[in-house]
Amino acid sequence: LRHVPEDEADEVRALLESHGIDYYETPPNRWGISAGGLWTREAECAARAKPLLETYQRERQQRARAEWEE
């Protein structure tokens, strides 16, 4: 989660929660060893989350590009 905008992290959390995907969060380490992240405990949850996150990232990129072009 290091260098991830808070609005993006909030949107991803909401996406996972809205699809009933259980996750936990680790914060970035202050010494730069760990970037932190959102994690699932079960492979099945990770498999369900992957296509959702791919779609989310594609849509976020399109929104950011459209905003920049304006």
Side-chain angles (χ1 to χ4, degrees):
L1 293 172
R2 187 181 315 284
H3 307 298
V4 173
E6 193 60 34
D7 69 309
E8 183 175 2
D10 289 343
E11 289 174 355
V12 170
R13 289 179 192 106
L15 176 68
L16 295 174
E17 290 168 6
S18 72
H19 285 86
I21 297 173
D22 187 33
Y23 70 93
Y24 65 97
E25 190 169 331
T26 58
N29 179 281
R30 64 178 145 181
W31 295 287
I33 296 170
S34 169
L38 301 174
W39 306 87
T40 63
R41 289 185 172 87
E42 299 175 13
E44 182 269 329
C45 288
R48 286 182 32 229
K50 187 173 181 173
L52 296 170
L53 293 170
E54 288 170 353
T55 300
Y56 167 77
Q57 286 296 312
R58 189 172 42 256
E59 291 171 356
R60 184 172 173 93
Q61 178 187 29
Q62 290 170 349
R63 283 194 322 260
R65 181 166 287 152
E67 289 172 8
W68 181 81
E69 288 175 354
E70 285 180 6

